[in-house]
Amino acid sequence: LWMSVSVAVGLTQIGEFSFVLVQVARNAGIIGNDLYNVTLAASLITILINAALVRYTPVAIAKIRVSRQMSALPQKVEDPEGMTGHVVICGFGRVGSSIGYAFETFGIQYLAVEIDPDVIGTIQSRGVSAIFGNCSHSHILERAGIRGASLLIITVQDLDCARLAIINARKINQNLPIMVRAARREEYRFLLDAGATEIIQPEAEASATFIRHACGHYLMVPDSQIRDYLRKFRNAMDLANKTIRPL
């Protein structure tokens, strides 16, 4: 349906070939100057209208789709703002969902904040507390019960969104532990200065996993030596990241 609407909007203007046809018809005496001028005026009007439609229709369609998807979501009776001691997970993609499954295994109460209505529907169908919205907004964090939360985990990839979420969460709950992931080393200080407690770097963790598996599974290095090395490795990485100039 939405694809049909988009295609129809793109076809609202009179095509350029109509200018050729109407001119040939006038030269052949099939139509008069009055009809020729009306056709030209109609062409110009539809071209101007089409430019606006092509620009604003996709935005309007997106809003309508989100509104319909949200109205179809199951409504939870539980009030998130009344929750205490729970973990708030901002972003429930592959990383966030993996964390959520682990918390369910350990019996840890958590709430997900997600901006994708389809993901929200899937989460709530499993009986998990979830809120639709952008985690960088203060009122969304308030609804998630950030004042009484025990931990905030931010897995969103958008750097500015993660930074604003940290800043606004700190304004609401100054002592809240905040874990966030940084896609690049240059983002470490940027997020640290915003107020993050711990920053997880996928590249560093991937390196640590390679070291642990290579040394432990294949090279038979004692487990205690591997743990000691990885502890020093992570400390060295943190120290190096703190010396990088923020973005």
Side-chain angles (χ1 to χ4, degrees):
L1 173 62
W2 303 116
M3 181 62 69
S4 300
V5 172
S6 299
V7 173
V9 167
L11 296 174
T12 53
Q13 76 177 51
I14 296 179
E16 292 80 358
F17 191 61
S18 62
F19 292 106
V20 178
L21 290 177
V22 73
Q23 188 171 7
V24 170
R26 186 186 65 169
N27 294 338
I30 299 175
I31 63 173
N33 289 332
D34 292 341
L35 184 57
Y36 175 77
N37 293 331
V38 169
T39 304
L40 289 181
S43 300
L44 293 174
I45 292 173
T46 56
I47 290 173
L48 292 174
I49 293 176
N50 182 257
L53 288 175
V54 170
R55 179 177 181 181
Y56 295 109
T57 297
V59 177
I61 290 176
K63 290 182 179 179
I64 294 173
R65 292 183 64 182
V66 170
S67 177
R68 289 190 175 183
Q69 288 174 320
M70 288 305 300
S71 62
L73 292 179
Q75 301 298 320
K76 295 186 68 64
V77 178
E78 182 180 10
D79 178 18
E81 293 185 60
M83 297 174 63
T84 57
H86 62 294
V87 180
V88 177
I89 303 177
C90 295
F92 214 73
R94 287 183 297 178
V95 176
S97 60
S98 297
I99 297 171
Y101 279 119
F103 287 168
E104 292 173 24
T105 301
F106 299 134
I108 299 173
Q109 186 183 34
Y110 72 93
L111 179 143
V113 179
E114 175 59 50
I115 200 169
D116 188 333
D118 294 328
V119 175
I120 286 289
T122 302
I123 299 171
Q124 292 189 345
S125 66
R126 289 169 40 202
V128 176
S129 299
I131 290 178
F132 171 78
N134 191 323
C135 65
S136 64
H137 297 164
S138 297
H139 70 278
I140 295 296
L141 295 174
E142 288 277 11
R143 284 186 55 204
I146 205 75
R147 293 185 185 275
S150 61
L151 175 65
L152 172 62
I153 298 177
I154 303 173
T155 67
V156 296
Q157 298 186 33
D158 189 308
L159 179 61
D160 292 328
C161 179
R163 176 178 175 273
L164 287 174
I166 295 170
I167 292 174
N168 289 327
R170 276 278 168 259
K171 292 178 181 178
I172 299 171
N173 189 340
Q174 294 184 354
N175 300 319
L176 179 68
I178 300 177
M179 297 178 65
V180 61
R181 74 170 178 175
R184 297 179 299 154
R185 291 186 61 189
E186 294 79 6
E187 298 175 1
Y188 189 97
R189 279 292 304 275
F190 188 73
L191 296 171
L192 190 67
D193 292 343
T197 307
E198 184 175 353
I199 301 170
I200 307 299
Q201 294 181 278
E203 291 185 358
E205 293 305 316
S207 300
T209 300
F210 272 111
I211 293 170
R212 184 174 66 252
H213 288 190
C215 295
H217 295 174
Y218 303 105
L219 304 177
M220 304 306 173
V221 177
D223 189 60
S224 59
Q225 293 184 20
I226 296 175
R227 290 199 303 269
D228 182 62
Y229 178 86
L230 289 178
R231 183 171 57 253
K232 294 178 180 178
F233 170 78
R234 287 192 171 92
N235 290 338
M237 289 293 295
D238 289 340
L239 183 61
N241 289 327
K242 290 177 181 178
T243 61
I244 297 176
R245 183 176 300 177
L247 297 175

